[in-house]
Amino acid sequence: MKKAGSATLLSKAIKVTLIATIMASSFQAVSQSIEVIERNDRPTPADIIIMNADIRTSDASVPRAQALAIKDGKFIAVGSQHYIKLLQDKHTRVLDAHGNTIIPGIIDAHTHLIVGTDLMDGIDLFGIKDKEQWLSMVKEKAASLPKGSWIFGGRWDASQTADKTLPTAADLDKVSPDHPVALIDVDYHTMWVNSKALQELDINDQTKNPTGGTIQRDSNGKATGILQENAIDIYNNSPKVIAAQGNKSDKLRKIIHHFNSLGVTGVHDMWTNVGSEYIDMLKKDGYPMRVWYGYMVDTNEKKSGEEAFKKQAELQKQMNNFAKLREKDIGKGPMYRYGYHKYYMDGTLLNRTAALHEPYADTHDHFLGKPLFTQRRMDELVQLSHKYGFPVAIHAIGDNAVSMALQSFKDSPDGNDKINRIEHIELSKFSDMEKFAQQGVIPSMQPDHAISGNFQEERLGKARLQRGWAWQSLLTAGGHLVFGSDWPTAKEDPMLQLGDATLREKDGRTWHGENALSFDEALYAYTQAPAKISGWDKEIGSITVGKWADFAIVDGKIKDPIPQDIRSWKISQTWFAGEKVYDREQPNDKL
């Protein structure tokens, strides 16, 4: 019995041990399985995480956020820090924003970057009020160049000088008789040239004024050296000038880097060529900017027939197809599209060339300003652009010019599917404001144009100012407002423009504050709204999951109400497609 009992106990012990072993093995296997599941149930690790931020997204679904994550150049998470912490692995770069504000990359909806290249090696007279200093700078530049070399540049403003009169060729001849000099004014609607330049441009006493332009003459019929409006195209289209300007690509890269330093990652650029400089740069390694390009059409009737527009459509297709192929190779999203056509309907309020419905307040001859084209001619040009597939932007500053531009869009049979726009709109009738939403026309405006000038009330009188620079009124009436700087006619800093739009402060006082915007309204007009015009709103324009990681970190936290010094705030970093392209602490580094 004892032997049998021992055997039974031993058998039980073996069974218990075996069961325990099996259970332990099973538990270990289960634990290992759980670990495998946990490893496989992690979110995709990010390349870059930015924590502890005040993110203004320009995305209505997630307007504010604390953190963001980037992988392969795109946002993969935007929102709370709790979830985004899970995206970190040993390869993730984690950055602390220290509570500073992050905004989407600014998209400046009205620039002239290519023409700004003339300032890189030329003369910049911006903000200088002394004519003698202008001439001194020209003399110094002439002394540094071989005889016969062109001197470019400008941004002079005669209204800021003591006598407020336009300069003359004779003034320049005294300091630069052997160098052709061409200096555009701050509004880019008036050019000042010397006698040598007039000679190079084949402008003499018998040269006729082009349609919509004026070669200013004295009482004896002699050209004074001032070219206005479309007369400047004689300069823009001169083979001698184009040859003297040379390849602009290297200068353009410097301008792009400067705009990156301001938080700008996209522009709607426009000039009198088709932006081939951008294509030249794409042929190499690209550039950190997204360019929606507008061609300023040569409106000379001999050069603007059906055949000219057909050639532009063919060129657009070639350039854009090439850009798409290069962008695919570069892998940072869209960089260039030849997108639209640009026209001028009038001039500027400063020079009293803007077209108004009622007379200027500071003249005594019931002067209204004259449109550059008849309604019929503008209709023809707009309809030709639309026929060949181009949306249209029309420069219209005075309220009469705005009315005419709206009419041209309304009467164009092929314009309904195009995103058309009007630039500047410094004065508009209330009855026209609602037409922007009704017709789907985009109001494209530049805040600092309202704040920096000191001539607005003088030109228009007090009563009309309530419908001048009417950002909030146009937005409230349903317009899809977009903002830009109009550089180099104005200051390019977006923080200045955003401050002007939100504070609407002139000379220390609120100036018609009923048309001010909130910061988020102004930011949207400077980011997501311009992206939509270009058709890139699914790829850029807001800090949104799935979009390219274009953003800027502000050097501080923007609180509500907006701080009074916001216009002087700086950008500390700018990122393009998930790569840092500007760092204020290392501004000269090749990033």
Side-chain angles (χ1 to χ4, degrees), residues 339-499:
Y340 59 103
H341 280 170
K342 167 82 180 293
Y343 297 103
Y344 286 86
M345 195 68 241
D346 67 349
T348 68
L349 286 169
L350 176 63
N351 293 328
R352 299 186 187 87
T353 51
L356 306 180
H357 280 297
E358 292 85 30
Y360 280 85
D362 55 350
T363 60
H364 303 288
D365 55 359
H366 300 284
F367 182 68
L368 299 169
K370 186 179 179 181
L372 298 178
F373 298 101
T374 64
Q375 184 72 65
R376 180 178 179 181
R377 178 57 176 159
M378 182 52 68
D379 289 353
E380 290 174 351
L381 291 167
V382 168
Q383 289 173 26
L384 276 169
S385 289
H386 286 167
K387 179 180 178 179
Y388 286 94
F390 293 95
V392 170
I394 299 179
H395 165 117
I397 283 181
D399 53 2
N400 186 27
V402 172
S403 296
M404 294 176 73
L406 286 167
Q407 190 65 43
S408 288
F409 289 142
K410 182 179 180 182
D411 291 341
S412 177
D414 297 313
N416 291 335
D417 62 339
K418 311 291 190 302
I419 301 180
N420 301 303
R421 49 198 278 186
I422 298 179
E423 309 298 318
H424 308 305
I425 319 166
E426 295 188 358
L427 186 68
S428 178
K429 294 172 65 176
F430 284 123
S431 57
D432 277 341
M433 291 183 190
E434 60 192 21
K435 294 178 182 178
F436 283 87
Q438 292 169 357
Q439 296 180 208
V441 176
I442 304 297
S444 171
M445 307 179 77
Q446 300 74 41
D448 196 56
H449 280 181
I451 305 304
S452 62
N454 58 3
F455 56 87
Q456 289 92 338
E457 185 173 330
E458 183 180 343
R459 296 288 187 273
L460 298 176
K462 289 185 178 180
R464 278 185 285 192
L465 290 180
Q466 63 180 320
R467 53 188 177 88
W469 297 270
W471 314 316
Q472 186 59 255
S473 295
L474 284 160
L475 194 63
T476 302
H480 295 285
L481 182 67
V482 300
F483 276 160
S485 66
D486 200 13
W487 185 85
T489 77
K491 296 175 182 177
E492 65 273 31
D493 191 341
M495 297 308 295
L496 170 74
Q497 302 283 350
L498 290 167

Side-chain angles (χ1 to χ4, degrees), residues 317-329:
K317 184 177 180 180
Q318 293 170 7
M319 295 179 77
N320 290 352
N321 284 343
F322 174 81
K324 290 175 185 177
L325 288 172
R326 284 296 297 137
E327 290 162 3
K328 187 175 181 181
D329 292 338

Side-chain angles (χ1 to χ4, degrees), residues 280-344:
D280 289 342
M281 291 191 289
L282 274 179
K283 288 176 181 177
K284 297 177 182 178
D285 55 356
Y287 44 84
M289 190 66 69
R290 309 196 188 280
V291 181
W292 177 242
Y293 199 83
Y295 167 52
M296 292 175 161
V297 176
D298 185 344
T299 55
N300 184 305
E301 293 193 21
K302 294 181 180 179
K303 300 179 181 179
S304 56
E306 288 263 357
E307 191 61 30
F309 284 85
K310 183 179 179 180
K311 287 181 179 178
Q312 286 299 316
E314 292 170 351
L315 182 60
Q316 180 197 41
K317 184 177 180 180
Q318 293 170 7
M319 295 179 77
N320 290 352
N321 284 343
F322 174 81
K324 290 175 185 177
L325 288 172
R326 284 296 297 137
E327 290 162 3
K328 187 175 181 181
D329 292 338
I330 294 169
K332 296 180 182 178
M335 292 184 178
Y336 171 89
R337 294 293 182 277
Y338 172 9
Y340 59 103
H341 280 170
K342 167 82 180 293
Y343 297 103
Y344 286 86

Side-chain angles (χ1 to χ4, degrees), residues 53-59 62-66 68 78 100-105 518-521 523 527 541-543 551-552 554 557-563:
D54 167 45
I55 303 174
R56 305 282 188 115
T57 67
S58 287
D59 182 340
V62 186
R64 303 290 285 270
Q66 301 170 319
L68 59 82
V78 178
N100 289 346
T101 296
I102 296 178
I103 59 176
S518 70
F519 181 80
D520 287 326
E521 286 172 335
L523 183 64
T527 53
S542 64
I543 298 176
F551 61 95
V554 181
K557 182 177 182 178
I558 300 174
K559 300 179 181 179
D560 297 315
I562 299 302

